[in-house]
């Protein structure tokens, strides 16, 4: 069990403070995790224990813990008694960013431009750092796609999975974090359009070329083929006579929990 | 004042539910904001009012409101009585993502690779969409930089501001959101290194070339010069004999509130 935040005694009754007490408790605990004093996975003291030691109400501690849970700094076991220090997960943050972009009416053109920057860079990095496991996963994806050329729903899922596998093969968490929310807004509706154009063979061919380049560790070719591939997405949208200025939407509004 | 969530009557006593009641209340309100039923800026009913209508304790409502505040879906006036619907801000989310990357020990190499993808793309888009105001801001930044060539602190700030202005000129919120947390981890320490190398004139020259291309709406040149510029960052790091595999750090750990 970790030690309590050292700022504890002053938390309860700072005069003229603008932040509520629960916020100060949360920030103190968070600072200890950020500094490495408390390690992810460490058990935190119980709510009662924290309340006593910090000299604040249990309700204040509970609100602080909720805030830390929301931010991903605290997780609890299913039994709901024990609290653990944690680190915020990129996937949770990505979900928030996706929501913010939708509420901001970000357009498909903006998403496409960002993908046109990030996906070729991901393919280039993947060619430099891919492991045998990465190649096996990409090959499996290609094999499944060859069997699903006439099923546009399966094709869409496999395409999304393909780009995700390329991103994984980069071993670059900054690129992964940057592209995740954008890709999740971008691919599903784009692919819905493209599947109408009977472009499945063209899609598969591009993927095969990209995997070949990644296998050969030819980062130039991997980048170039991915660039062509992402350009094809835009062309498909234009061929379908759709407006790239349309704002993106969440796949199923309201189902995407924050 | 907006209507209450329609899912209200079932919230309090769903048997076998795995989510706490406050979470269901929060999700219901959030769904209404996401769907556009409740608009950002709309007043929400009071805590007491919500508790009565939803048939849950005030403490449950309070926890739900806290969760929504944490996620950026609810804001309150300084007086702390009135609650307003809101949309999550990219800047808040960026701060979380920055923290997550640091806790994940993301390296400078990963950040550099992501910047090498995003910054040239930003320059290209900026050349396509820059306004007169964007140009005026970039020109002012160049003018200030010419006066600060021997002050490495000011130079660092101006360089960060320069790249931020280029991103603003893109008018692309997806690119802006993707690059913000990465740029804030990347530039300060890199520039600290580069300022040691007496490379200020070279930095200014690259910025001048980028602005010239953006002014001329020459997206190819803007992209190429930005690419050279970001490559220079890497070269600077190598010249200073530093390890790109070092994990990034928050500028001042613990000061960066979530």
């Amino acid at each position: 069990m970790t030690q309590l935040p050292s700022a504890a005694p002053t938390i309860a009754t700072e005069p003229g403070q603008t932040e509520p007490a629960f916020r100060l408790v949360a920030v103190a605990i968070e600072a200890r995790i950020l500094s490495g004093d408390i390690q992810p996975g460490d058990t935190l003291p119980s709510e009662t224990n924290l309340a006593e030691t910090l000299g604040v109400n249990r309700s204040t501690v509970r609100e602080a813990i909720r805030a830390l849970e929301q931010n991903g700094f605290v997780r609890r076991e299913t039994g709901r008694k024990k609290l653990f220090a944690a680190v915020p997960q990129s996937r949770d943050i990505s979900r928030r960013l996706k929501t913010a972009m939708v509420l901001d009416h970000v357009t498909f053109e903006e998403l496409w431009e960002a993908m046109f920057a990030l996906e070729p860079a991901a393919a280039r990095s993947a060619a430099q750092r891919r492991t045998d496991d990465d190649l096996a996963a990409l090959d499996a994806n290609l094999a499944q796609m060859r069997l699903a050329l006439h099923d546009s729903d399966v094709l869409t899922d496999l395409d999304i999975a393909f780009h995700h596998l390329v991103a994984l093969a980069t071993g670059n968490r900054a690129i992964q974090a940057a592209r995740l929310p954008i890709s999740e807004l971008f691919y599903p509706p784009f692919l819905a359009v493209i599947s109408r154009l009977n472009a499945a063979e063209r899609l598969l061919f591009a993927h095969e070329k990209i995997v070949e380049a990644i296998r050969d560790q030819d980062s130039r070719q991997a980048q170039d083929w991915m660039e062509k591939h992402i350009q094809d997405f835009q062309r498909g949208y234009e061929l379908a006579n759709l407006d790239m200025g349309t704002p993106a939407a969440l796949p199923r509004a309201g189902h995407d929990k924050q």
Side-chain angles (χ1 to χ4, degrees), chain A:
Chain A
M1 193 166 293
T2 60
Q3 281 196 296
L4 301 172
S6 54
T10 65
I11 283 178
T13 52
E14 197 71 53
Q17 70 191 32
T18 52
E19 299 235 46
F22 88 93
R23 197 82 195 83
L24 298 179
V25 173
V27 165
I29 294 175
E30 187 187 307
R32 297 287 297 269
I33 297 172
L34 286 175
S35 71
D37 269 7
I38 302 179
Q39 292 286 326
D42 281 0
T43 313
L44 288 181
S46 69
E47 282 181 11
T48 320
N49 207 314
L50 281 165
E52 278 169 15
T53 326
L54 302 179
V56 295
N57 293 331
R58 265 197 67 177
S59 66
T60 302
V61 170
R62 198 163 50 232
E63 284 195 70
I65 298 289
R66 292 285 191 217
L68 288 164
E69 280 186 274
Q70 288 287 331
N71 285 348
F73 282 104
V74 166
R75 302 203 183 278
R76 57 176 80 221
E77 274 184 336
T78 330
R80 296 184 176 245
K81 283 259 167 138
K82 265 196 179 172
L83 301 169
F84 295 95
V87 297
Q89 299 296 305
S90 301
R91 182 156 280 278
D92 297 342
I93 301 165
S94 169
R95 220 174 283 139
R96 284 166 205 260
L97 190 50
K98 223 161 68 173
T99 307
M101 285 195 288
V102 168
L103 290 170
D104 227 8
H105 308 294
V106 168
T107 67
F108 280 110
E109 188 175 14
E110 290 172 80
L111 297 174
W112 178 84
E113 245 181 40
M115 287 284 90
F116 190 64
L118 287 165
E119 297 295 61
R124 182 178 59 218
S125 299
Q128 288 161 8
R129 292 202 213 93
R130 92 289 184 286
T131 64
D132 289 345
D133 284 350
D134 293 324
L135 286 178
L138 286 165
D139 282 338
N141 181 280
L142 290 180
Q144 288 177 282
M145 193 172 259
R146 283 182 203 110
L147 297 174
L149 287 179
H150 302 291
D151 185 337
S152 64
D153 283 349
V154 177
L155 208 61
T156 297
D157 289 346
L158 287 171
D159 187 276
I160 293 169
F162 175 83
H163 288 277
H164 186 64
L165 289 172
V166 172
L168 280 180
T170 65
N172 182 322
R173 284 131 336 146
I175 287 179
Q176 285 161 6
R179 73 173 286 289
L180 186 59
I182 300 169
S183 69
E184 288 182 356
L185 289 178
F186 172 79
Y187 284 117
F190 256 70
L191 287 162
V193 169
I194 282 168
S195 62
R196 283 195 240 151
L197 300 172
N198 289 320
E201 313 246 339
R202 192 176 168 86
L203 195 85
L204 173 63
F205 182 72
H207 285 200
E208 284 172 337
K209 286 294 185 185
I210 292 164
V211 173
E212 193 183 313
I214 289 174
R215 189 189 318 281
D216 297 345
Q217 301 191 280
D218 185 339
S219 48
R220 187 76 244 169
Q221 281 287 316
Q223 180 175 355
D224 286 352
W225 273 105
M226 184 64 94
E227 208 167 288
K228 281 179 206 159
H229 182 47
I230 302 294
Q231 249 155 1
D232 260 5
F233 273 83
Q234 191 190 31
R235 216 166 290 136
Y237 226 64
E238 284 166 2
L239 283 175
N241 216 9
L242 290 164
D243 182 7
M244 292 274 287
T246 308
L250 290 173
R252 293 173 300 162
H255 287 239
D256 208 357
K257 267 189 294 170
Q258 294 304 298

